[in-house]
Structures are given as structure tokens and as C-alpha cells.
């Protein structure tokens, strides 16, 4: 029977910063995200979706089997489910089975944190505005706090939902417990934010992109579908845009594909990739003359890199 790492087993094995380091390490070792296979998506009767995300390096291979079940929260169940099967690369022998939802909850903020290391300029503590109050919102808050001191955190709930408003208050209270000033707010406050993080299930833009200040940074992680987006055409047209992979973004990122379909931008609008930032091929901290947008769709190589780091950390812990 192969070892299993539950969410509880994985908790504390890897900090967001260590997960970001693992991602940077595979990019610096030469992995090219442009060559990674696309995810497979299978609609499931009842409104859900089954996702398969395989990846391989020399030493390891793996596949994430994830479920997206929009009706689950009403049943008291998580919206994202899944498992990650980690394999030995040369022999393809199963090594471990990891909780896929917990892996995603760690991996996605780590990807954002790695981008933000290069996009957010040093200096005064930034003001952070977060859209959303689910696991990804908590993960991103903690990942950013591990990287930077924050002047303030503003949490914005989805319009018209009492549950979301309660969630925003709860996340703000959590942030205050971590030692940062925090409160619920409204979408128009993006005008005063240095950093905006969007981690929602919204299919429509969350705010007016004309309000984002030049030099501010926006991260959007909530969707990977060509017709869903969290940011509007106005922001995309103004912004220097960074992605994990051009190929993946132009397959899945509605935040970019909708403006392209409208004729507002062309495929060449993307300024650079995560690999460009990590390798130093892009100017540090981007351009102060325009907003910066990092659009993440989530990729299988990222899951593999973080799963390997978790597996190796678990092995080290078991021998100490």
C-alpha cells in the first residue's frame, strides 16, 4: 500500500515561501512550461467537472485528478476535491497519494507569491485588497504576509451574498489575528490598493479596471475557462500582462481571451511569463507607468513541483 498524505499530514510540511522556492527551482533547472501538456476537462452530469493534470520530470512524474463541484458548498462539502498520485520517474512506481485539494490550496498561492516576488516593488508596505473569502483567499493572504509586511488588508465579498459578506468579515478577523490591520470593503477601493488579488468563482469582472492605479499589481487566479474572467477589458488593455505559459493562457484564460475576441488586444499583448521573471529576463518590479496583471490558470508542472517538495519534506520529517 502506497503512503498517503492527508491534508492534516501536509499541514506545516511546507511554507508558502518554500513552495514558491520549489517552483522557482524547477524553472531554473530548465523546465519549459510551454511544452507541458494541457489539462483534460470532462463535464460530469449535475454541473460538475473532472480535471486530469499529468506532468513529468526526470526524477518524478504525477497526475492530479481534481473535481470541481459547484453544488458542494450547499451540502457542506468542499467545492474542489481530488487526489494527487506521485510516481517515481524512471520506473513509474507509485510513491505517494496526496490530498489534491490541499495540494491546490498550497500550490496556487505559491505560484502567485513567486510572481509577486518579482512584480511588487520594494519599499513601503503595500495595501492589499482581496476578492473572495474561500481557501484560496486565506492561502494568498498568508503567502503575501510571509513575503511582505502589509499596511492594510481589505476583503471584498461577492455582491448580493450574505454568506460572502460573513466570509469577508471572518477573513478580515483572521488577518487581524495575524497582526495586520484589516476590514471588509467594497470593490471601488481597488483605486487605493497597491496589490489586488482575485480568487473567486466569478465569471464576470469584479471591478472597474480603470480604477487601478499605475504601478499597482493585480493577480487573478479564480478561473481557467475561456469564457470566465475576474478582470475586465479595460484593465487588460492598460496592463503589462504576465502568465505561467503563453500557450496555457491562450487556451484557458478568459481574462485575456475575452478582450482578444473583442478586438481590444492581440495575442502578442502578453509581456512575459513566470519563467521570464524567475530567470531575470524581465525588468525587476515591472513598469511603474502602468498596472501589472499576473493571470494564473494553474498548471500540472506546478502541482508536481510542490507534490515532490511535500513528499521529500515528509520523508525528512519521518527520519528526524
Amino acid at each position: 500500500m502506497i503512503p498517503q498524505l492527508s491534508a492534516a499530514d501536509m499541514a506545516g510540511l511546507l511554507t508558502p515561501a518554500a513552495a514558491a522556492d520549489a517552483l522557482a527551482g524547477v524553472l531554473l533547472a530548465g523546465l519549459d512550461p510551454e511544452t507541458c501538456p494541457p489539462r483534460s476537462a470532462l463535464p460530469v452530469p449535475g454541473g460538475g467537472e473532472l480535471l486530469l493534470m499529468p506532468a513529468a520530470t526526470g526524477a518524478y512524474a504525477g497526475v492530479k485528478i481534481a473535481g470541481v463541484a459547484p453544488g458542494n458548498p450547499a451540502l457542506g462539502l468542499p467545492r474542489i476535491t481530488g487526489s494527487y498520485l506521485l510516481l517515481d520517474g524512471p520506473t513509474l512506481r507509485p510513491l505517494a497519494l496526496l490530498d489534491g485539494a490541499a495540494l491546490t490550496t498550497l500550490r496556487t498561492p505559491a505560484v502567485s507569491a513567486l510572481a509577486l516576488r518579482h512584480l511588487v516593488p520594494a519599499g513601503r508596505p503595500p495595501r492589499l485588497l482581496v476578492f473572495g473569502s474561500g481557501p484560496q483567499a486565506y492561502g494568498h493572504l498568508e503567502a503575501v504576509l510571509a513575503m511582505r509586511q502589509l499596511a492594510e488588508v481589505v476583503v471584498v465579498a461577492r455582491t448580493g451574498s450574505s454568506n460572502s459578506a460573513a466570509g469577508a468579515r471572518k477573513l478580515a478577523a483572521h488577518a487581524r489575528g495575524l497582526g495586520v490591520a484589516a476590514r471588509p470593503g467594497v470593490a471601488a477601493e481597488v483605486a487605493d490598493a497597491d496589490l489586488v488579488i482575485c480568487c473567486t468563482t466569478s465569471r464576470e469582472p469584479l471591478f472597474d479596471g480603470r480604477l487601478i492605479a499605475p504601478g499597482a499589481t493585480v493577480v487573478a487566479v479564480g478561473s481557467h475557462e475561456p469564457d470566465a474572467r475576474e478582470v475586465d477589458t479595460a484593465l487588460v488593455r492598460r496592463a503589462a500582462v504576465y502568465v505561467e505559459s503563453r500557450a496555457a493562457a491562450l487556451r484557458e484564460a478568459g481574462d485575456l481571451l475575452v478582450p482578444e475576441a473583442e478586438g481590444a488586444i492581440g495575442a502578442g499583448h502578453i509581456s512575459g511569463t513566470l519563467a521570464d521573471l524567475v530567470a531575470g529576463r524581465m525588468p525587476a518590479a515591472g513598469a511603474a507607468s502602468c498596472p501589472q496583471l499576473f493571470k494564473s490558470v494553474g498548471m500540472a508542472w506546478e502541482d508536481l513541483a510542490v507534490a515532490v517538495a511535500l513528499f521529500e519534506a515528509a520523508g525528512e520529517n519521518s527520519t528526524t
Side-chain angles (χ1 to χ4, degrees):
M1 185 173 182
I2 65 172
Q4 296 190 31
L5 293 178
S6 67
D9 295 329
M10 292 159 61
L13 282 178
L14 216 59
T15 65
D21 289 342
L23 294 163
V26 299
L27 291 174
L28 291 172
L31 180 137
D32 182 4
E34 302 296 345
T35 66
C36 292
R39 87 180 86 226
S40 298
L42 175 68
V44 176
E49 185 179 35
L50 181 65
L51 306 174
L52 301 177
M53 300 176 66
T57 62
Y60 295 95
V63 59
K64 184 166 74 175
I65 303 173
V68 182
N72 272 10
L75 303 174
L77 299 171
R79 179 176 176 271
I80 305 295
T81 66
S83 298
Y84 193 90
L85 180 62
L86 181 65
L87 309 167
D88 175 69
T91 66
L92 295 181
R93 178 175 56 90
L95 297 175
L97 187 67
L98 290 77
D99 183 293
L103 174 63
T104 304
T105 299
L106 174 62
R107 173 266 273 169
T108 305
V111 173
S112 298
L114 181 57
L116 291 174
R117 286 181 183 178
H118 301 277
L119 294 177
V120 177
R124 63 181 177 84
R127 296 184 70 246
L128 167 65
L129 188 145
V130 179
F131 285 94
S133 58
Q136 284 297 337
Y138 281 82
H140 276 80
L141 170 65
E142 293 176 8
V144 173
L145 278 173
M147 180 182 69
R148 292 289 296 274
Q149 182 182 359
L150 294 173
E152 183 184 30
V153 175
V154 177
V155 185
V156 179
R158 297 276 295 280
T159 304
S161 170
S162 59
N163 288 341
S164 292
R169 292 192 295 271
K170 184 177 179 181
L171 178 55
H174 177 74
R176 291 193 295 272
L178 297 176
V180 60
R183 58 179 175 80
V186 297
E189 292 183 83
V190 295
D192 301 317
D194 304 297
L195 174 58
V196 177
I197 296 180
C198 307
C199 36
T200 74
T201 58
S202 179
R203 304 188 68 83
E204 300 294 337
L206 296 164
F207 57 90
D208 183 346
R210 295 172 298 180
L211 298 176
I212 297 293
T217 302
V218 178
V219 174
V221 306
S223 67
H224 62 265
E225 297 169 81
D227 59 349
R229 57 179 178 160
E230 295 177 293
V231 301
D232 65 7
T233 299
L235 174 63
V236 173
R237 189 167 46 217
R238 296 176 59 210
V241 176
Y242 301 88
V243 297
E244 297 139 301
S245 150
R246 284 180 168 83
L250 295 176
R251 278 194 308 266
E252 300 181 336
D255 303 75
L256 307 182
L257 292 172
V258 173
E260 185 179 354
E262 294 173 348
I265 63 169
H269 187 70
I270 295 171
S271 299
T273 67
L274 192 61
D276 292 331
L277 292 170
V278 170
R281 293 189 290 267
M282 304 298 297
S289 60
C290 67
Q292 300 168 104
L293 169 64
F294 177 66
K295 171 56 192 169
S296 170
V297 295
M299 296 186 69
W301 70 267
E302 299 160 350
D303 291 311
L304 178 59
V306 177
V308 168
L310 286 163
F311 175 71
E312 293 181 346
E316 292 172 4
N317 282 6
S318 68
T319 60
T320 58

